Amino acid sequence: MATHQADFLVIGSGLAGLNAAIALSEHGSVILLSKVQLGESNTAYAQGGIASVMSDEDSFDAHVRDTLKAGAGLCHREVVEKIIEAGPSAIRNLVETGVQFDESDQGFSLTREGGHSNRRILHAQDITGREIDRAFRMKLASTENITILQHHVAIDLILQDRFSESAVCIGAHVLDAHTGAIDTIGAQATLIATGGAGKAYLYTSNPDVSTGDGIGMAFRSGAKIANMEFFQFHPTCLFHPRAKSFLISEALRGEGGILRRRDGHAFMKEIHPLADLAPRDIVARAIDAEMKRTGDDHVCLDMRHRDPAFVAERFPNIHTACMSFGIDMTQVPIPIVPAAHYMCGGIQTTERGATSVNGLWAAGEAGHTGLHGANRLASNSLLEAAVVSQWASEDMVSWAKEHQSPAPQPWNSGDARTPHEAVIIAHTWDEIRRLMWNYVGIVRSRSRLEGAQRRIELIEHEVIDYHWKTQVTRDLVELRNIVAVAKLVIGCALQREESRGLHYNQTFPEQSEQLYDTQAQSVSHNDIMWSRRPLDGSS
Ligand code: FAD
Ligand code: SIN
């Protein structure tokens, strides 16, 4: 069991983590954790692109307006304005780091996606995330002062005075997944950049690493968590038994793609003035309703009216992936279904990533700044990850100059035994993911949510018991965090007695007149405080 000490600890190696680690390395020593190998993150799978105002025909006002509209009244307006106005400088930083976005004669080639009133999505073909990840890893390789620990899984944060006003994060306990040892890492300032939690649902566009570990760790540490009921379902993931919910980018609809029932009927024009480019929540619910009404197991996305050469050249990654499943998207409609995609809620932070716990910041999908409100506008998440991680790193530097943390205590394994019943973990994983899909999915009801809450409480008892009696493995760490995410999504959904944005509850189909965020905070080992936080600041 090793002990490491650094000025800064960054947990996660997607865009938020990589950007922060590089910025922090100019001011002190950094330890960067990656749960598996570098390059495996939601970031690396991003397709459509990153939204920013880059053309004279566009304006910050228009981008703010589109974001607020998608967010259905719950965006924090000041945060939206600040992050959107920082977009062009974040893009400059990405380009200086080496990211090569597609260009046209007029400069960057800008595409459109659902809910955007203008072309403002910078992209690298349909593999924008892979290009961002490539450029940042190249830069990382030539950056000094960063110790990269791959296959290291953060288990829990280490707190001084946990659950008190003066609680301060002084590092983390981390599983070395190769040796099974549990290392202790001390740091003056820690950033959670662990991404999303799509794996809490049975069907998801997210890779296996997205298990909400940062949410679980922060929650157990007493940090405030907000708006977890707002889980975004991407309308168009490939429907194929071997495709593992491969994403079919919204940019296809930005380039004219039409959603059709299996009988060929184009249904979106009857549902929203923007038809196929309506905001994601509306499109996902419309598909869900069509599938439930017709009994079909999928609907289709039709690109056949576009020039085949254009389609193959603009979307080479998606075209190749579909071909590998025997689907030529230039000739036949693509079978698609919705899948869990993006966690709009998260660890409550300021727009600069500060959490409610001293010494702890969060950025990217793990954080909740208030940018997305009740529904994220497409391609605003890479923007948020780039901007907030930059600002968080500046504040972490200032904090570290003024605070000296004590060395943390090593992990105590007690008499934990070697796990010999892996089936328990595999079964419980499956049970939770099915429960979330069937009871806490695109359309919810009070009775289903209450049923889910009863079940998750039982599962939680079993998992915590197993966790303390058994040696820690990656599967077990993730299972414990999936349980925490499920519990938070269900609890926040029960707090919200209305339908708004991504949260549609048949029992409360109307919007409330009050605008509030839901919040959860562990105030002791056994007690959670659930609350509603009015957006106007009143209590
Ligand atoms: P991630 O990129 O997910 O990185 C999280 C990192 O944390 C990973 O490296 C992971 O290994 C590590 N980690 C997790 N837990 C631990 C732990 N316990 N210990 C150590 N390390 C840990 N957004 C857009 O704006 N535009 C798009 O076009 C777009 N397309 C998308 C397409 C797909 C298929 C998906 C899944 C998402 C897409 N998104 C898109 C969303 C966007 O990619 C993510 O929100 C964003 O990349 C999140 O970045 P991040 O740095 O916060 O987290
Ligand atoms: C997509 O390419 O459709 C994903 C865009 C996003 O999630 O922002």
Side-chain angles (χ1 to χ4, degrees):
M1 293 200 195
T3 301
H4 308 270
Q5 187 73 36
D7 296 316
F8 307 108
L9 171 61
V10 175
I11 309 177
S13 58
L15 173 57
L18 293 171
N19 191 38
I22 290 169
L24 288 165
S25 70
E26 289 176 21
H27 303 275
S29 55
V30 180
I31 291 178
L32 172 66
L33 300 183
S34 190
K35 181 148 86 171
V36 288
Q37 68 282 8
L38 291 178
E40 190 58 0
S41 60
N42 274 3
T43 297
Y45 290 88
Q47 293 183 354
I50 175 165
S52 179
V53 174
M54 305 300 288
S55 107
D56 294 343
E57 284 153 33
D58 199 3
S59 68
F60 291 137
D61 276 353
H63 192 179
V64 167
R65 223 174 18 250
D66 294 344
T67 302
L68 296 178
K69 196 166 171 197
L74 288 195
C75 297
H76 298 195
R77 191 186 181 108
E78 255 180 53
V79 171
V80 174
E81 287 170 352
K82 285 182 187 162
I83 292 180
I84 282 174
E85 285 169 21
S89 108
I91 297 296
R92 255 194 318 278
N93 175 41
L94 294 192
V95 171
E96 279 164 18
T97 304
V99 178
Q100 292 175 10
F101 292 111
D102 287 1
E103 295 189 10
S104 68
D105 298 344
Q106 288 89 41
F108 289 118
S109 157
L110 302 172
T111 193
R112 257 186 93 179
E113 286 178 349
H116 287 276
S117 58
N118 242 306
R119 285 189 169 260
R120 64 168 74 97
I121 320 291
L122 295 99
H123 58 96
Q125 294 182 322
D126 56 352
I127 47 166
T128 310
R130 205 185 299 166
E131 170 57 14
I132 291 175
D133 178 64
R134 180 203 63 76
F136 271 84
R137 286 200 282 134
M138 283 281 287
K139 173 90 179 184
L140 194 64
S142 61
T143 304
E144 290 178 356
N145 248 355
I146 304 183
T147 304
I148 305 166
L149 299 178
Q150 301 187 69
H151 300 279
H152 277 66
V153 185
I155 305 168
D156 267 320
L157 301 170
I158 307 172
L159 273 285
Q160 208 182 18
D161 298 332
R162 182 151 61 134
F163 302 132
S164 77
E165 291 271 305
S166 56
V168 52
C169 177
I170 56 173
H173 287 123
V174 175
L175 170 71
D176 177 338
H178 281 325
T179 64
I182 294 172
D183 298 348
T184 303
I185 300 182
Q188 310 300 336
T190 297
L191 177 75
I192 292 184
T194 48
K199 293 290 285 185
Y201 282 92
L202 189 57
Y203 302 110
T204 177
S205 65
N206 293 188
D208 289 347
V209 290
S210 300
T211 51
D213 295 0
I215 303 289
M217 284 188 276
F219 180 56
R220 290 189 290 276
S221 302
K224 291 178 181 165
I225 311 290
N227 278 3
M228 289 293 285
E229 68 276 32
F230 295 118
F231 220 105
Q232 186 171 69
F233 290 78
H234 198 291
T236 57
C237 290
L238 185 60
F239 175 75
H240 189 280
R242 285 186 289 112
K244 224 185 165 191
S245 303
F246 175 77
L247 187 77
I248 305 293
S249 175
E250 192 154 316
L252 270 78
R253 279 176 286 132
E255 299 296 351
I258 299 171
L259 286 163
R260 297 186 188 279
R261 284 199 311 243
R262 291 186 69 186
D263 65 11
H265 179 70
F267 53 90
M268 278 311 299
K269 55 184 186 304
E270 292 147 13
I271 288 172
H272 194 276
L274 288 171
D276 297 280
L277 280 178
R280 245 173 229 185
D281 56 328
I282 291 165
V283 182
R285 260 198 313 277
I287 296 174
D288 186 64
E290 285 299 332
M291 285 168 50
K292 287 202 168 106
R293 207 171 50 72
T294 58
D296 288 342
D297 50 11
H298 67 274
V299 297
C300 296
L301 182 64
D302 194 355
M303 294 299 288
R304 287 173 300 173
H305 52 294
R306 296 299 319 256
D307 173 20
F310 165 77
V311 171
E313 193 186 329
R314 172 67 181 83
F315 302 109
N317 174 47
I318 296 170
H319 185 246
T320 308
C322 285
M323 286 300 271
S324 74
F325 297 111
I327 301 161
D328 180 350
M329 69 196 229
T330 65
Q331 303 300 320
V332 293
I334 311 166
I336 59 95
V337 282
H341 181 62
Y342 184 85
M343 184 177 71
C344 288
I347 305 161
Q348 188 176 302
T349 71
T350 63
E351 75 276 5
R352 299 184 67 85
T355 70
S356 57
V357 171
N358 296 314
L360 182 66
W361 280 257
E365 194 166 338
H368 173 272
T369 59
L371 172 68
H372 307 307
N375 183 21
R376 175 182 66 105
L377 190 64
S379 290
N380 265 358
S381 46
L382 288 173
L383 172 68
E384 185 187 46
V387 171
V388 178
S389 59
Q390 194 68 34
W391 289 342
S393 62
E394 290 166 14
D395 292 358
M396 289 168 74
V397 170
S398 309
W399 167 272
K401 279 190 185 139
E402 287 166 18
H403 295 85
Q404 198 63 41
S405 332
Q409 293 294 315
W411 177 264
N412 179 0
S413 291
D415 52 6
R417 300 188 187 161
T418 314
H420 48 262
E421 297 230 42
V423 66
I424 296 178
I425 297 181
H427 172 86
T428 315
W429 259 85
D430 191 55
E431 193 178 348
I432 296 167
R433 298 182 68 206
R434 270 178 206 284
L435 177 72
M436 291 299 284
W437 186 257
N438 291 325
Y439 282 50
V440 200
I442 297 174
V443 175
R444 300 159 181 180
S445 73
R446 181 159 192 104
S447 62
R448 281 203 294 271
L449 289 173
E450 285 172 345
Q453 190 176 48
R454 283 192 294 275
R455 283 171 173 75
I456 207 71
E457 277 170 9
L458 289 176
I459 294 172
E460 185 185 31
H461 282 301
E462 285 171 17
V463 170
I464 289 176
D465 188 52
Y466 192 80
H467 184 266
W468 289 120
K469 288 186 181 150
T470 317
Q471 271 168 22
V472 176
T473 60
R474 177 180 153 195
D475 269 356
L476 188 51
V477 170
E478 293 180 333
L479 176 62
R480 185 169 164 237
N481 292 322
I482 290 279
V483 173
V485 167
K487 179 172 162 157
L488 286 162
V489 175
I490 296 164
C492 288
L494 280 165
Q495 284 287 311
R496 186 166 294 285
E497 296 187 335
E498 62 163 346
S499 289
R500 183 184 294 278
L502 299 163
H503 173 73
Y504 186 78
N505 185 335
Q506 289 167 321
T507 319
F508 305 101
E510 306 298 331
Q511 276 194 2
S512 155
E513 280 175 14
Q514 280 130 27
L515 295 174
Y516 56 88
D517 287 338
T518 56
Q519 197 179 75
Q521 185 179 20
S522 270
V523 288
S524 73
H525 286 287
N526 296 317
D527 299 308
I528 302 171
M529 202 163 71
W530 299 96
S531 56
R532 296 176 180 179
R533 201 166 57 120
L535 251 60
D536 63 7
S538 62
S539 50

